[in-house]
Amino acid sequence: MASDKADPKGQNSSKGSGAHSARGGKDQNRLAAAGGASGQHAARNAVSTAGAVKKPFVPRLVGPRALGALLLKSAGLTEALLLEVLAEQEELRRIGGAQTEGTRIGELLLKRHVVTEEQVLRALGQQFDMTVVMELRPEMVDPDLAHRVPINFAKQHRLLLLRRHPDTDTVEVAIADPTAVHVLDDVQRAAGGNVEPVLIPESQILEAINKVYSRDRIDADLQKKEDDVEEAETEEDVDLVDLNDEAPIIRWVNSVIFHAVRMRASDIHMEPHEKDMVVRYRVDNTLEESKRAPRNFINSITARVKIMAGLNIAEKRLPQDGRIRRKIAGKDIDMRVATVPTGFGERITIRLLDRSAVLLNLTDLGFGEDHLETMTEMINRPHGIILVTGPTGSGKTTTLYAALSQINTPDINILTVEDPVEYQLDGISQIQVNPKIELTFAAAIRSFLRHDPDVIMVGEIRDHETASMAITASLTGHLVLSTIHTNDAASAVTRLVDMGIEPFLVTSSLAAVLAQRLVRRLCPSCREAYRPTEAELERIGIPPAAFFRGDFKIASYKTKAPPPPPGMLYRRHEGGCVACNKRSYSGRSAIYELLAISEEVRELSLRKADASTLKKAALRSGMRTLRTDGAGKVMAGLTSVEEVMLVTAEDRD
């Protein structure tokens, strides 16, 4: 019989006891296991002044509330679907024996996307009479208290000591598994008082652990030590956060990389100067200084990074490129390393690529509902070219990866050629260009056509040969996705013509052009509402009268935080807060200009009209400019007027 044992992924600890009806049979047994459990009640235990636990901690299971039954009521599940999942659970356990990972009811339902993580967690909160918190805020954590539990233990068991209530001397503990009895027993001893578990999503607990267990002491350690760099390699499967017994230089470099990941930096700049080495992080497209290292450590730090990247430490006169792959703070991170000689030593730039972050779909990228509908229709076409345009660092590759992830199914053959391959996508064949052996974009596309592809992604169209091969591929029944460097969507059409592609070929193959920029998101914890002036609204393209009446809307956008009150906008809070590390912004979102090739645009392209004329025609067809889409995100509370104006300075229409 299938059990439904509770945990944060959805396993219910109660066992079924059900009566069998005449028509119930095996299905009724399974439903009884999911919803007919008898409750177990256990008293909370106290801790003596010496810290010895009088009784082991046992979670309270409240009444006949099995997880399956709770989700049937709260998540809108049907009995038929629950029976199907229970049958799947039973079969998986039969095959796997004692191994239960991935066989829990909640996990199976989440994989099917029929429930949300919040629904499962709240059902578990009902089942075990525990408080559920969906957002773990920085002010909820006492770092000194949290450090009573070693980081390895905290990460292994997905828990974090939060804060002590002075009135009751009870310690709140963030947990992801309410049935981890032995763990809570140990935590109680470490906390030195009774514990009150709080159910919090696993991802948020891990993120909080990485922030709390920061190792800023390494900088001071570096000042005291003058050891030469050790050429010891860190094993790829060892998390850098967990390493404590390495040489000072190794610890310092690991600390720089860890903090960059924690701050969600896209790049690390290590810049040698006359007296020291300055480390700067690029966070949300803004460079900010992080730390400095003494002059006498520059060579050792450079050597350590080059060793990690597999570069030649003896070569200091020529630029070098390498790659590092490490697990950092529980994330698999790829790092592209580039060195270049300067007057005071070798400058190092490290591009950080979070391999888990790309597992997005188009709905997560900030599209308005209308743009999302159009893009979804475009990428499901059997043939044609879809171009994504924008400056370096505007998120073009991320958009292409998200599109590929959305259409990546077993019945579609997808091939990509990139420079370089930034992320590995399961089920997709990816090739990196290599000009030294004449493996160019054009050569790869030419070869792809003999491998029966359905979809081809080209990293960038740079020249006539690549553009010509991409056109050929689209005209022979393939969907081609690529990027091109232009300031707006309309300019991409004229750019192809400038490369030597005949206008009739451009118009017959090009399906859509997506221009994009990245704007910084306002920190939802400290953003402040204000009443904008009419001049401010006009600058961004919002009609003041309609805005203040409340009857003006650009598009619907997916947001987690609520929009501003009527007649108000949000702006950055000067000085920020703890949640955003005093930056006032947290993360980035894209703004878009989507040009679907209409008949008017096609006719103008055939007559070799300039980009300005094409843009005006596209606007008449309903296209939104980058600034207009940015205004929509301002009205949704995602970003500020000043941020949109900054990134759309060239947008005059």
Side-chain angles (χ1 to χ4, degrees), residues 282-355:
R282 185 172 295 280
V283 182
D284 297 337
N285 208 35
T286 302
L287 276 175
E288 54 186 67
E289 184 175 323
S290 172
K291 57 181 69 182
R292 293 174 178 256
R295 172 68 196 173
N296 57 318
F297 288 100
I298 292 178
N299 290 337
S300 297
I301 292 169
T302 303
R304 174 58 187 165
V305 175
K306 293 172 78 172
I307 289 169
M308 295 175 71
L311 303 180
N312 184 356
I313 62 173
E315 180 56 74
K316 301 180 180 180
R317 301 168 299 172
L318 296 174
Q320 296 186 66
D321 295 312
R323 198 161 193 151
I324 305 171
R325 178 175 289 184
R326 289 288 186 272
K327 179 172 287 192
I328 305 169
K331 301 178 180 179
D332 291 323
I333 305 294
D334 276 338
M335 290 166 275
R336 297 208 311 260
V337 180
T339 68
V340 64
T342 70
F344 299 107
E346 292 178 272
R347 176 190 171 109
I348 302 170
T349 301
I350 304 174
R351 168 65 58 88
L352 301 171
L353 303 169
D354 185 352
R355 283 182 280 163

Side-chain angles (χ1 to χ4, degrees), residues 362 374-387 400 403-404 406-408 412-417 445 448-449 452-458 469-482 509-512:
L362 293 177
T374 303
M375 276 297 295
T376 302
E377 188 270 326
M378 290 292 176
I379 63 176
N380 282 283
R381 289 188 173 188
H383 57 83
I385 297 179
I386 300 173
L387 295 179
L400 289 181
L404 292 179
Q406 187 154 322
I407 62 176
N408 183 21
I412 294 180
N413 183 20
I414 302 176
L415 302 174
T416 78
V417 53
I445 300 171
F448 284 175
L449 297 179
D452 187 32
D454 297 298
V455 180
I456 297 172
M457 191 196 93
V458 183
M469 288 304 306
I471 295 273
T472 299
S474 70
L475 293 176
T476 53
H478 306 87
L479 180 65
V480 180
L481 308 180
S482 188
S509 60
L510 191 61

Side-chain angles (χ1 to χ4, degrees), residues 35 37 43 72 88-89 129 154 274 279 466 479 580 603 628 651:
L72 278 173
E88 180 185 356
Q89 179 192 53
D129 192 27
E274 183 177 4
V279 177
T466 305
L479 180 65
C580 59
E603 291 175 4
T628 303
D651 194 351

Side-chain angles (χ1 to χ4, degrees), residues 362-607:
L362 293 177
T363 59
D364 300 318
L365 297 184
F367 282 101
E369 289 184 357
D370 54 342
H371 281 168
L372 180 61
E373 183 179 349
T374 303
M375 276 297 295
T376 302
E377 188 270 326
M378 290 292 176
I379 63 176
N380 282 283
R381 289 188 173 188
H383 57 83
I385 297 179
I386 300 173
L387 295 179
V388 181
T389 183
T392 301
S394 60
K396 300 187 298 295
T397 302
T398 299
T399 298
L400 289 181
Y401 279 143
L404 292 179
S405 298
Q406 187 154 322
I407 62 176
N408 183 21
T409 57
D411 60 330
I412 294 180
N413 183 20
I414 302 176
L415 302 174
T416 78
V417 53
E418 306 169 58
D419 183 24
V421 176
E422 295 188 357
Y423 298 95
Q424 296 292 336
L425 300 177
D426 292 336
I428 295 177
S429 298
Q430 298 173 264
I431 296 174
Q432 181 165 320
V433 300
N434 189 348
K436 294 180 180 179
I437 58 173
E438 298 184 355
L439 179 56
T440 60
F441 284 117
I445 300 171
R446 191 178 294 109
S447 177
F448 284 175
L449 297 179
R450 295 190 288 271
H451 289 266
D452 187 32
D454 297 298
V455 180
I456 297 172
M457 191 196 93
V458 183
E460 183 182 350
I461 294 179
R462 301 172 178 171
D463 49 43
H464 173 269
E465 188 180 11
T466 305
S468 180
M469 288 304 306
I471 295 273
T472 299
S474 70
L475 293 176
T476 53
H478 306 87
L479 180 65
V480 180
L481 308 180
S482 188
T483 70
I484 193 169
H485 282 279
T486 61
N487 288 329
D488 58 16
S491 297
V493 181
T494 58
R495 174 78 170 134
L496 291 174
V497 176
D498 292 341
M499 286 182 180
I501 306 299
E502 292 293 334
F504 76 91
L505 291 175
V506 175
T507 58
S508 59
S509 60
L510 191 61
V513 182
L514 180 72
Q516 66 179 68
R517 300 288 190 277
L518 293 178
V519 294
R520 292 178 294 174
R521 287 177 176 262
L522 289 168
C523 174
S525 299
C526 65
R527 62 181 184 173
E528 55 185 33
Y530 75 106
R531 182 178 175 86
T533 64
E534 291 189 5
E536 190 175 14
L537 293 172
E538 289 172 350
R539 283 178 63 211
I540 203 170
I542 300 175
F547 173 78
F548 290 121
R549 284 197 311 268
D551 58 5
F552 179 76
K553 187 176 183 180
I554 294 175
S556 296
Y557 300 93
K558 180 182 178 182
T559 62
K560 293 182 179 179
M568 309 282 280
L569 296 177
Y570 282 122
R571 62 187 175 193
R572 63 186 291 267
H573 174 69
E574 193 68 34
C577 65
V578 176
C580 59
N581 290 320
K582 311 294 184 183
R583 291 195 296 268
S584 305
Y585 293 96
S586 180
R588 290 187 292 176
S589 179
I591 57 176
Y592 299 100
E593 182 177 282
L594 179 57
L595 170 59
I597 306 301
S598 64
E599 284 301 323
E600 185 180 4
V601 172
R602 187 171 287 109
E603 291 175 4
L604 289 171
S605 300
L606 288 171
R607 298 201 296 266

